[in-house]
Structure formats: structure tokens, C-alpha cells
Amino acid sequence: MGLQAVEYDIFEFVEMRCRELKSDVTADVLFDEASGLRKKMESHRSLRFHAAWVGSLIGLLGCGAAAIEISSSSLNGISLVTSGAAIALSFWLGRFFFQGERLCRFNPAKSAQQKFEIEHSSLLDEVIDPIRHSRARLAKLSSTGEGVAFTPTSNRPIEKHLSNEALDDAWLPGEILHQPIADNHATAAYIVILMQEIAKPASSSRDKWKRYYLWHQESALVMTLFDRAQDIYREDKIKRIKARVAVRMVVEHFKDCRERNIKVKSQHGLAKDLVDHLKLEASRLEASGEIDYRESLLLERVGMSGTLKSGDPAEPSSVKNDAPESWFEQLLSGTNMQILPALRVEALKEFPTLPEFIEA
């Protein structure tokens, strides 16, 4: 049993939890309600600013009037009450808008009411249950480049983690449920880091690779996951195309076998099929002008490097590329470390409890 960190943007996390909870209310509804709450928060902050300004002015006037009365020795009961009332009003305004806000957001007396100030408060409370019970962490991304930690997948700086009392804030939806606006560093962005348990079966049967979870998903979904996994050979276009062709070919072969109720080919048989698929894709892309002749030659060869197998008997066996299809066999077996981890991260965003190998 091992652990793997999966990183969600806040919208992705809410979407995933709504699916898990089988809720009829979508993530879009919660985000729309949070948008309405943000307007209320902005209105309150505007009033608080003006109250602070007016309260300070009244307090200064009251203190000034009292000072003048004292210096002129004309202090009487009416002026004393008026000055005192002005000073008291300034303090009350400050307390009402500053202390009152905290009571509104963290009032224990409201425990019998909705936890959050949105209509679907109870759903959001269920959505963030993994965060409350430390199975996941809610983090605010840093907009300055400095942070207390970094995200496990995208390596972005984290400004702070939200936990404990922060999760009981009645205005929490207004703080976290909004997508960051491109190039707007003032907009807070939140992510959720979820630790998934990865269990591998004890069985070591020769056909175990046929139970690898990826080969039993819908082809369209797998290719969507691949396209989202931008770290797969990010800097090498031909290797990325080659990996994509291989993944698609295997998924479609397994689908065809299920539909026709026929036996899955051996790894060696699939490696031979890959040769034909790569040649077809190389010809198609060259004809469309997406790759040039040299890139076409690299793509049609099974070896991930794209170079020909060495035939020089004087060359050490360690550099002869004796097994150009080894990366593909690792892919089939679920052990390829250049392609599969990034796909796994994306798959767990859709299915958080998906095992790596299905039951026999």
C-alpha cells in the first residue's frame, strides 16, 4: 500500500466530490451561490470602511469639543453628554463592523443553523469533509512567488493552508469558490491536495498486465486524460505522439476484444501491431505537413529514441538498443515511469478510488 498525491484546482475538486456524493446540485450552482455571497462581503467591507472613517471623524469631533469646553472652563452637563455620546458612537461603529463581522462569520450560537451563508450549505459541508478530516488539504496559492510549501504536481508556491477554524467560516464559500482570472494576481486561487492510497495486488501471474486499469477505460476518456497530462514528453513532440499512438492502440484493442469476446494478444503481438500503427501515423502527419521527413522516420520506429538498432558487432551491447520496444512492454505492464504516472494523476481526478489493477 502506498500514497500518491493528487492535486485539484478548487473547481475540479468540488466537481469530483459532487459526483462522489451523487448530488443533483452541480459545482456550477455552488460557485454561483458563492459569487452572490462575495457581493454581500464586498458590500459589508465597503460599509466597514465608511463606518471606520465616519466613526473616526465623530470621535475626533467629540474629543475636540470636549477639549475646547475644558480649556474654556465652560464645560457643562449637556456638552459633556454630547461629547461622550460622540466618542461612544465612534467606538460602537468600530465594534459593530469589526467585532460584528467576526460574530457573523464564527458565531457558535449559529451552530443549529446552516454552516455557510449559501443555499446549499449542507452540500458544501459534505464536499469539504475530506479536508475537515485531514484526508485532503486546502491551500491558497501564493501570488508573489514566495510560499511555505509547493504543490506536489504543478510545483506552485503555497501561501498558506486552511484548516481548523478557517473551515468553520460562514463566509468560506465566498473566499474559496471562485476560479482565478488569468493574469490577475489579485485574485486568490485555491487548490486541494488529496492523498490517494495506491494498492497493488499480491498476485504475480503472467497475465496480470491485462488487468491494468487503463486498458479497461473508454478510449475517448483515456485520450482526454492523455491530452490533459501535459508533462508526458513535454519537450519532445515525436516521443509524445509515439506514446499517444501506443496508448490509444492498446485501449482500442482491449475494447475490440471485449466487444467481440476474443482473446487479448500477447505483449509481443501488440508490439508488432505498434510498428504498423506508427508507420500509418507517420505517413498521415507527414502528408498533412504536421511533421517533416526526418520526424516521420523517427516516429515510425518503435524505439522511443527513434534511432535504428546498432548492427556494429564491435559496439558494446549496453548501447546496441537491443530492445527498442522495452518502453512499450513497460507501458503494457503498468510500470512505465515516463508516461503512466502523469496519466494516473489525471485518472484519479475523475475516479478517486480507482485501483491500479482490476480484479481478475
Side-chain angles (χ1 to χ4, degrees), residues 59-270:
L60 287 172
L61 290 174
C63 290
I68 292 172
E69 293 290 333
I70 292 172
S71 64
S72 63
S73 301
S74 58
L75 186 66
N76 55 50
I78 296 176
S79 60
L80 181 63
V81 169
T82 302
S83 299
I87 296 170
L89 178 60
S90 69
F91 279 106
W92 179 84
L93 283 171
R95 179 177 177 80
F96 180 80
F97 280 96
F98 287 88
Q99 298 295 330
E101 177 178 334
R102 179 164 184 81
L103 287 174
C104 184
R105 300 177 77 156
F106 299 99
N107 190 352
K110 293 177 64 177
S111 58
Q113 301 177 21
Q114 292 196 132
K115 191 175 289 290
F116 306 112
E117 290 195 13
I118 59 173
E119 181 180 350
H120 292 95
S121 170
S122 58
L123 173 60
L124 180 60
D125 196 32
E126 288 184 90
V127 164
I128 68 170
D129 186 71
I131 301 170
R132 288 190 184 280
H133 293 89
S134 302
R135 297 192 300 275
R137 303 188 77 181
L138 175 64
K140 179 182 179 183
L141 296 177
S142 171
S143 60
T144 63
E146 298 180 358
V148 298
F150 291 88
T151 59
T153 305
S154 61
N155 203 36
R156 290 178 287 177
I158 293 173
E159 179 181 315
K160 64 179 180 178
H161 291 96
L162 280 72
S163 59
N164 302 328
E165 187 184 53
L167 300 178
D168 293 325
D169 183 354
W171 291 359
L172 182 69
E175 293 286 355
I176 67 171
L177 297 188
H178 60 107
Q179 295 281 50
I181 300 172
D183 300 323
N184 183 356
H185 296 295
T187 302
Y190 291 84
I191 65 161
V192 176
I193 301 167
L194 186 62
M195 298 304 296
Q196 302 285 3
E197 288 188 346
I198 308 299
K200 295 192 176 183
S203 171
S204 58
S205 65
R206 189 176 64 179
D207 288 340
K208 183 176 108 174
W209 68 273
K210 296 179 182 178
R211 302 201 304 274
Y212 188 58
Y213 80 96
L214 200 61
W215 314 139
H216 299 271
Q217 308 302 315
E218 289 298 320
S219 177
L221 171 63
V222 174
M223 302 326 296
T224 297
L225 299 179
F226 190 99
D227 293 338
R228 280 185 358 204
Q230 293 297 312
D231 287 338
I232 298 175
Y233 294 118
R234 181 190 293 273
E235 305 300 329
D236 195 313
K237 177 176 71 173
I238 299 304
K239 287 184 179 181
R240 182 171 174 84
I241 294 172
K242 193 173 295 190
R244 195 178 193 279
V245 169
V247 170
R248 183 181 63 205
M249 185 199 80
V250 178
V251 173
E252 290 180 349
H253 174 70
F254 271 76
K255 177 185 177 183
D256 187 50
C257 290
R258 288 194 300 271
E259 291 178 349
R260 297 168 55 193
N261 196 27
I262 60 177
K263 187 178 179 180
V264 173
K265 291 184 179 181
S266 66
Q267 290 193 1
H268 179 69
L270 286 171

Side-chain angles (χ1 to χ4, degrees), residues 3 15 50 96 146 148 180 233 249 257 276 281 292 319 330:
L3 292 176
E15 268 191 325
H50 288 95
F96 180 80
E146 298 180 358
V148 298
Y233 294 118
M249 185 199 80
C257 290
D276 295 331
E281 186 69 0
D292 58 27
V319 294
Q330 292 170 357

